[in-house]
Amino acid sequence: MNAFAQTSAEKGFRLPDPDFVPEELKMLRDQVRRFVETEIQPHAEAWEEAGEIPREVFAKLGALGLLGMQHAEEYGGTAMGALASVVFGEELSRSTFGGVTASVTVHTDMSASHISRVGTPEQKAQWLPRICAGEVVCAIAVTEAGGGSDVAALRTKARRDGPGEDADWIIDGSKMFITNGVYGDLLIVGARTGGEGARGLSLFLVPRDTPGVSVAQKLSKHGWLSSDTAELYFDSVRVPASALLGGENRGFYAIMQGFEHERLMIGAFSAGEGAKAIELTLDYVRQRRAFGKTIWDQQATRQRLATLASQVAMVRALVYQTAQALDGGRPVSLETAMIKSTAPEILHDVVHGCLQLHGGTGYMRGTPIERMARDARILRIGGGATEVMLEEVAKRI
């Protein structure tokens, strides 16, 4: 047996961690891996059918301290930084259930992190301990039907109901494609509070059970079936002045900072899912026989998998390097744009290349590679479509 295949058979397709990854994050990886093996993989097929993840999954993750890596210790978090989130996202992605990864990381990294970054001490004390414990599930409600990647064009409006900064806010509008929007508890809502364009946007903390907030429909998706996704309506939704998150007309900048971290995480998902797809395919082609020998014995198979594995390794290297730089306080807008424009495209090639090597088996519902091919498709769209992100890269070079 080829040495590369032998290593994969014994350990799976796993590249060693860079030297700068500390021992505590290697222990974190092992912990998340055990959680995936014991708490996700045995049950996630049922969650795919149900279209939701049980609440106790968040509670179990919270009890292990895995929901607070972006949050300060004084509010129940562990403040472990971007590199820890990358390790977490990469290992979750190896579960082969993209919807689970989506729901959990939207809670941990894409929504609640806004509270840590720009929230007041009172907002942090009110929400973060329960978010870190998994008692409150969080969502980010920015995307609208008429404007996905074009955040500056959003039309949901918020107005003060009276003079003075203590007046309540009234929110009217709608949101589309909101992960955790059906069963989540707290929405971070982007709304227009000023003029046109990026300078007139603000963020608000809106409990989903606030009068006037409604789920217009639970959306049926191509992939990510175990995550709940909603179209939401806001009909004269009244929230107190204290619900304003990060300052009036400062929301666009907070959203962009959140996108930067989301794009890094999408790179981690691409690395984890890509490596798992290759691992599954190596196992399959070593056993499947055709024309008197295994598919692995065909040179074209070996070279195709070698190419895909090399591409996954390059994605992972840039993701880890960027996370380290982000934790060190260096601007990484160029790197995260490069990651978002490239990593999902590579993952698309990987999962479809691996499905091809599975033959007819890979086309069957219930096989991990078929599910992964469906789940991977959204990563080329969410968090900034590939075409938009290429323009972001172009502006920065």
Side-chain angles (χ1 to χ4, degrees):
M1 182 182 290
N2 179 283
F4 174 53
Q6 188 175 38
T7 300
S8 298
E10 293 169 357
K11 301 179 181 178
F13 176 58
R14 289 185 178 275
L15 294 161
D17 283 323
D19 291 340
F20 56 76
V21 174
E23 192 62 33
E24 65 176 358
L25 294 192
K26 295 176 182 178
M27 294 170 64
L28 169 68
R29 183 187 302 284
D30 291 339
Q31 186 179 38
V32 179
R33 188 182 309 168
R34 287 192 298 271
F35 189 90
V36 166
E37 292 171 351
T38 60
E39 301 292 343
I40 295 178
Q41 289 177 329
H43 312 293
E45 286 280 11
W47 305 343
E48 293 272 294
E49 292 293 328
E52 64 175 299
I53 298 167
R55 300 288 300 219
E56 56 262 31
V57 174
F58 288 92
K60 289 178 179 179
L61 286 165
L64 292 171
L66 297 175
L67 298 181
M69 289 181 285
Q70 289 295 307
H71 311 302
E73 293 182 19
E74 63 184 297
Y75 301 113
T78 54
M80 297 177 74
L83 191 56
S85 286
V86 162
V87 170
F88 182 58
E90 185 181 17
E91 286 301 317
L92 276 183
S93 296
R94 291 182 64 95
S95 72
T96 78
F97 291 93
V100 176
T101 305
S103 281
V104 172
T105 57
V106 161
H107 171 79
T108 56
D109 288 79
M110 283 61 143
S111 57
S113 54
H114 284 289
I115 303 175
S116 281
R117 279 194 293 267
V118 300
T120 64
E122 293 78 15
Q123 289 169 333
K124 293 175 183 179
Q126 179 183 4
W127 292 110
L128 289 181
R130 289 183 289 163
I131 285 170
C132 292
E135 297 170 5
V136 167
V137 175
C138 201
I140 178 77
V142 172
T143 301
E144 298 180 357
S149 297
D150 185 7
V151 174
L154 70 79
R155 293 176 292 182
T156 295
K157 293 183 178 180
R159 57 178 175 82
R160 290 189 188 273
D161 188 30
E165 293 185 356
D166 293 333
D168 290 348
W169 290 91
I170 307 297
I171 303 173
D172 288 282
S174 63
K175 298 294 177 179
M176 182 64 84
F177 312 134
I178 306 306
T179 301
N180 297 341
V182 180
Y183 303 114
D185 306 297
L186 178 65
L187 305 170
I188 296 178
V189 179
R192 186 164 298 285
T193 51
E196 296 298 314
R199 296 184 179 180
L201 304 182
S202 300
L203 292 177
F204 295 89
L205 292 165
V206 183
R208 201 182 58 80
D209 60 0
T210 304
V213 179
S214 62
V215 177
Q217 59 177 321
K218 181 180 179 180
L219 299 170
S220 180
K221 309 187 295 295
H222 175 60
W224 279 8
L225 301 185
S226 50
S227 66
D228 62 289
T229 307
E231 179 183 8
L232 301 174
Y233 283 169
F234 299 83
D235 183 11
S236 298
V237 175
R238 180 181 295 272
V239 295
S242 60
L244 180 66
L245 179 64
E248 186 174 349
N249 297 331
R250 296 291 301 170
F252 181 81
Y253 308 100
I255 292 168
M256 289 301 104
Q257 191 175 4
F259 271 155
E260 192 167 276
H261 187 77
E262 180 176 355
R263 290 159 185 166
L264 176 67
M265 292 300 289
I266 287 173
F269 305 160
S270 298
E273 291 176 31
K276 186 63 177 180
I278 290 167
E279 178 182 305
L280 292 169
T281 307
L282 284 167
D283 184 59
Y284 182 81
V285 299
R286 286 196 304 269
Q287 299 177 52
R288 177 73 164 86
R289 298 185 67 82
F291 306 104
K293 54 185 176 182
T294 68
I295 299 176
W296 175 256
D297 289 329
Q298 307 284 350
Q299 184 184 49
T301 299
R302 296 194 301 274
Q303 294 193 355
R304 178 63 172 150
L305 283 171
T307 298
L308 296 177
S310 300
Q311 291 175 323
V312 169
M314 287 187 284
V315 167
R316 187 174 188 265
L318 181 57
V319 168
Y320 273 70
Q321 173 185 309
T322 302
Q324 183 193 34
L326 185 60
D327 283 338
R330 186 169 67 77
V332 292
S333 58
L334 173 60
E335 290 92 332
T336 54
M338 286 177 167
I339 287 168
K340 181 60 184 67
S341 65
T342 305
E345 297 294 328
I346 288 175
L347 178 62
H348 182 269
D349 290 343
V350 169
V351 292
H352 284 278
C354 288
L355 190 154
Q356 180 74 14
L357 290 171
H358 277 76
T361 300
Y363 194 64
M364 296 297 105
R365 283 285 178 116
T367 58
I369 197 65
E370 184 274 337
R371 179 175 57 251
M372 294 173 76
R374 282 186 286 110
D375 287 349
R377 185 62 184 86
I378 187 59
L379 297 183
R380 299 166 73 189
I381 301 170
T386 297
E387 295 78 7
V388 175
M389 298 315 304
L390 286 170
E391 288 298 307
E392 292 297 313
V393 173
K395 284 191 294 186
R396 288 166 172 78
I397 62 173

